[in-house]
Amino acid sequence: MTTHMDMDNPLDLFEGLEDQDKAAILKSGHTVHCRPGQPLFNQGDPAKRCFMVIRGRLKLSKLHEQGKEAIIRYIGPDETTAALAVFKGRRYPVTARAVGDTLVVAWDKATMDHLIANHPALARNLLHMTLERLEDIQTRYLELRTEMVEQRIARALLRIMQHAGRRTDDGILINLPLSRQDLADYSGTTLYTVSRTLSAWEKRGWVRSGRERIVVADPHALVLFSEKG
Amino acid sequence: MTTHMDMDNPLDLFEGLEDQDKAAILKSGHTVHCRPGQPLFNQGDPAKRCFMVIRGRLKLSKLHEQGKEAIIRYIGPDETTAALAVFKGRRYPVTARAVGDTLVVAWDKATMDHLIANHPALARNLLHMTLERLEDIQTRYLELRTEMVEQRIARALLRIMQHAGRRTDDGILINLPLSRQDLADYSGTTLYTVSRTLSAWEKRGWVRSGRERIVVADPHALVLFSEKG
DNA sequence: AATCCTGCTTGCGCCAGCGCAAAGACACAC
DNA sequence: GTGTGTCTTTGCGCTGGCGCAAGCAGGATT
């Protein structure tokens, strides 16, 4: 009987639903297992199913012709993706790949339609989650237009840190394999510039980094830098 | 009794509703009149009301510190804005200004909550409209990252043309006052670059332009250019 | 017709950051 | 331990496009 209707900002698909409903909804989907790097769905494919991550993480990216790629966002445990695309019966607007070993639940359109009809809170929560993402991408759109590249890298790193950071003795570890190329695709620059920037930050003691691994040693300095340049 | 339930892509808040419901919903709001350039709401203000344009046009833009501005989209007749922000009781993430003389209907949060509870189709339509906008801004985000500036100006002009174009003898007239600065804010560049680019296109016979006024003489050429550079 | 205001054009110099190239570092397999 | 492939670093040269400055254009006001 535990509900969370008092929360203002459900980031959760199941906010405001009874535990038993939640369990039933989860059971009505199929679980899918993805190995690291494996695509769950590809941009342009018909959106047959939507997903919720149980364990692991998905990387949503959008491809441009000639191989340029923008990372739209990461999807972690309890977060959903493609909900709207499948709801509307469209094509996936992005590609989703597993980052590390990932377990997801999948629902097809018919099931989703049925679930939404029976649980009005689901539609409400989808609206809320979508608003969140719309505002996020609009903000990043503005930043991409306005800010210098090092500032954008700082913001990207902080966003990923908030989403997938883990406290350690050295600082906050980005708890997913994150290459220089990934960070470049997330912040709108190139592999080379990210590498040079991280080197500079390492000299200042703000971060410590290795192969696909970054530890933010001084988050405060990074926040200041991301705000004022 | 005219319904449009057969349409797959409602861009309309009232898709799937009876005319009488539509009329009642419209009557439950307040009409607001905006003079050219007047702000309807400002980024950061508490989102008390949401809006639908009856006549005229709104410009949604997002401001960065030190005055840089990105135009997120234009909102024309029958289109809505701030629906999600008010639904969630947040602050407006953008600023809306009237372009030309504009008439809108406004609903406050209580009314919206009531309407959505009584008309499930409204929530569905909001989801669909929001998906549309999310995909649009994601696409533009990728383009901003990937494409050369002239290509982006071409895309921006074509998008505005599709939204607010009017056939004339000379070509397709952009039927709203559109300055070089506006086009720059929409395409992610500067006033100067837009001006230079339009001059070049004018020499090639693709457009004819004057003060806050653009006619696309050769849309096909512009489409080709926007796709291949 | 003169003035003003706002928007538009264009020459010019400058620089942030891109991307090649080449070398180094690390992870894993055999 | 040795190899192989991927990821990272860094020097270097180049350029797209930004933004100042100065002047032009055209609509509105007096």
Side-chain angles (χ1 to χ4, degrees):
Chain A
M1 255 285 224
T2 307
T3 60
H4 302 268
M5 296 187 84
D6 52 299
M7 275 197 62
D8 270 357
N9 288 335
L11 297 173
D12 184 348
L13 184 61
F14 298 123
E15 209 61 50
L17 287 172
E18 312 274 336
D19 279 359
Q20 66 203 50
D21 289 341
K22 176 174 169 177
I25 291 169
L26 279 173
K27 259 190 63 180
S28 70
H30 296 89
T31 63
V32 179
H33 181 237
C34 289
R35 314 213 140 276
Q38 187 186 337
L40 180 61
F41 55 82
N42 284 296
Q43 178 178 342
D45 290 350
K48 290 196 175 67
R49 300 186 299 173
C50 65
F51 306 92
M52 179 173 184
V53 172
I54 301 297
R55 180 167 49 73
R57 191 162 263 110
L58 297 173
K59 180 173 83 175
L60 298 193
S61 58
K62 202 166 170 66
L63 293 165
H64 197 265
E65 41 271 29
Q66 91 262 34
K68 291 232 189 183
E69 179 173 355
I71 295 181
I72 301 294
R73 61 165 49 244
Y74 285 92
I75 305 291
D78 295 333
E79 295 184 306
T80 61
T81 189
L84 279 186
V86 75
F87 186 47
K88 198 162 177 181
R90 287 289 203 79
R91 289 167 183 281
Y92 295 115
V94 297
T95 292
R97 275 173 195 285
V99 179
D101 219 62
T102 304
L103 196 67
V104 303
V105 183
W107 295 277
D108 61 25
K109 175 160 175 49
T111 307
M112 263 321 256
D113 284 347
H114 183 253
L115 288 175
I116 283 177
N118 289 19
H119 303 283
L122 279 183
R124 197 194 61 135
N125 293 343
L126 279 177
L127 263 170
H128 284 194
M129 289 157 54
T130 307
L131 169 64
E132 214 70 52
R133 296 190 187 179
L134 185 60
E135 290 189 7
D136 177 67
I137 194 76
Q138 281 177 0
T139 299
R140 281 166 58 199
Y141 179 80
L142 176 64
E143 286 169 4
L144 184 55
R145 284 229 15 210
T146 308
E147 293 174 350
M148 298 290 98
V149 78
E150 297 202 343
Q151 212 175 335
R152 300 198 317 260
I153 296 171
R155 287 200 194 269
L157 190 53
L158 289 169
R159 281 198 178 91
I160 296 171
M161 190 188 84
Q162 284 187 298
H163 189 263
R166 215 191 63 204
R167 284 205 120 61
T168 69
D169 296 346
D170 286 356
I172 297 168
L173 168 72
I174 303 296
N175 200 18
L176 59 86
L178 185 74
S179 69
R180 304 294 181 268
Q181 183 67 57
D182 287 331
L183 199 45
D185 289 340
Y186 199 92
S187 57
T189 178
T190 62
L191 159 61
Y192 309 107
T193 300
V194 169
S195 179
R196 280 184 261 266
T197 302
L198 286 182
S199 294
W201 291 350
E202 191 135 13
K203 285 194 186 94
R204 290 184 225 167
W206 294 359
V207 301
R208 292 174 42 71
S209 75
R211 186 194 183 87
E212 297 192 318
R213 189 181 145 285
I214 302 179
V215 177
V216 180
D218 190 346
H220 187 61
L222 213 55
V223 167
L224 280 182
F225 179 81
S226 77
E227 282 169 356
K228 70 137 206 52
Chain B
M1 258 282 226
T2 307
T3 62
H4 304 268
M5 297 188 80
D6 50 301
M7 275 197 60
D8 268 356
N9 287 338
L11 297 174
D12 185 348
L13 184 61
F14 298 122
E15 209 62 50
L17 287 173
E18 312 275 334
D19 278 0
Q20 65 204 51
D21 288 340
K22 176 174 168 176
I25 292 169
L26 279 174
K27 259 189 63 181
S28 71
H30 296 89
T31 63
V32 178
H33 181 239
C34 289
R35 316 213 138 277
Q38 188 186 337
L40 180 61
F41 55 83
N42 285 295
Q43 179 177 342
D45 290 350
K48 290 196 175 66
R49 300 186 298 173
C50 66
F51 306 91
M52 179 175 185
V53 172
I54 301 298
R55 179 168 47 74
R57 191 161 263 110
L58 297 173
K59 182 172 83 174
L60 298 193
S61 58
K62 203 167 169 66
L63 293 165
H64 197 265
E65 41 271 31
Q66 91 261 35
K68 291 231 188 183
E69 179 172 356
I71 293 181
I72 301 292
R73 61 165 49 244
Y74 285 93
I75 306 291
D78 295 333
E79 294 183 308
T80 61
T81 188
L84 279 187
V86 76
F87 186 47
K88 199 163 175 180
R90 286 290 203 79
R91 289 167 184 280
Y92 296 114
V94 297
T95 293
R97 275 173 195 286
V99 179
D101 219 61
T102 303
L103 197 67
V104 303
V105 183
W107 295 277
D108 60 25
K109 176 162 174 47
T111 309
M112 263 320 257
D113 285 347
H114 183 252
L115 288 175
I116 283 178
N118 289 18
H119 303 282
L122 279 183
R124 198 194 59 134
N125 293 343
L126 278 177
L127 263 171
H128 285 194
M129 289 157 56
T130 307
L131 170 64
E132 212 71 51
R133 296 190 187 179
L134 187 60
E135 289 189 7
D136 176 66
I137 195 76
Q138 281 178 0
T139 300
R140 282 166 58 199
Y141 179 81
L142 176 65
E143 287 169 2
L144 184 56
R145 282 229 17 207
T146 309
E147 294 174 352
M148 297 290 99
V149 77
E150 296 203 343
Q151 212 175 335
R152 300 200 317 261
I153 296 171
R155 287 201 194 269
L157 190 53
L158 289 168
R159 281 199 177 90
I160 296 172
M161 191 188 85
Q162 284 186 298
H163 190 261
R166 216 192 62 206
R167 285 206 120 60
T168 68
D169 296 347
D170 287 354
I172 297 168
L173 168 71
I174 304 296
N175 200 18
L176 58 87
L178 186 74
S179 69
R180 304 293 181 269
Q181 183 67 57
D182 287 332
L183 199 46
D185 290 339
Y186 199 92
S187 56
T189 179
T190 61
L191 158 62
Y192 309 107
T193 300
V194 169
S195 179
R196 282 184 259 266
T197 302
L198 286 182
S199 294
W201 291 351
E202 192 136 14
K203 285 196 185 90
R204 293 184 223 167
W206 293 358
V207 301
R208 292 172 43 69
S209 74
R211 188 194 182 87
E212 297 191 317
R213 191 181 143 282
I214 303 179
V215 177
V216 180
D218 191 345
H220 187 62
L222 212 54
V223 168
L224 280 182
F225 178 82
S226 77
E227 282 168 358
K228 72 138 206 47

